[in-house]
Amino acid sequence: MEAPNAEQRALAAFCGSLPRLREQAAAGYWADRLDMHVEEVEAGGSALAACAELGLVTDERGYTMRGDGNLAAASVDWLRAASVVGDYGCPLGRCARRATRDDAGRPPRCDLTGERMRFRSA
């Protein structure tokens, strides 16, 4: 399988990071700015551009994001490496994020759209 490109990695990181980003945005008074970028990415815009405009960068794997100091609330490491062993994928078919059911057996949801992630057979 071909490795995901930079845009796909950024989208997976952005999507998986949204719960923590939303907390930081609310605490740092930039929730409206984050919401604008979420809407743009959900509509097909670039996750790489959204991350750059928010002052966030992805590491070489694209699965962790760190603040570069431009946003006071985004200055800590806060996203674990994504697990790519799951059998659920992006409901938009745009990112490489994979997930599994939670401990209660519920299918995962996309943090960008709120939709249930799509089951992908092996």
Side-chain angles (χ1 to χ4, degrees):
M1 176 183 243
E2 185 176 294
N5 68 29
E7 180 64 34
Q8 289 173 320
R9 288 191 314 268
L11 182 58
F14 186 70
C15 180
S17 304
L18 279 174
R20 181 70 175 145
L21 272 176
R22 286 187 171 118
E23 289 174 14
Q24 292 177 337
Y29 303 104
W30 49 277
D32 56 339
R33 188 171 168 204
L34 177 62
D35 290 342
M36 177 190 72
H37 288 291
V38 167
E39 289 173 13
E40 288 174 359
V41 172
E42 186 176 359
S46 171
L48 279 171
C51 290
E53 290 175 24
L54 287 168
L56 304 169
V57 295
T58 57
D59 71 5
E60 62 279 357
R61 292 174 303 154
Y63 292 108
T64 58
M65 299 176 75
R66 295 174 178 86
D68 69 2
N70 290 339
L71 300 172
S75 62
V76 297
D77 295 343
W78 41 264
L79 178 66
R80 296 176 306 174
S83 173
V84 190
V85 297
D87 53 12
Y88 287 84
C90 179
L92 300 175
R94 290 180 45 205
C95 82
R97 182 173 170 227
R98 305 291 278 185
T100 59
R101 289 181 176 263
D102 66 14
D103 292 337
R106 293 179 298 245
R109 292 199 167 271
C110 173
D111 290 313
L112 181 66
T113 66
E115 295 178 32
R116 240 179 37 187
M117 294 176 77
R118 290 186 192 161
F119 178 76
R120 309 227 191 243
S121 60

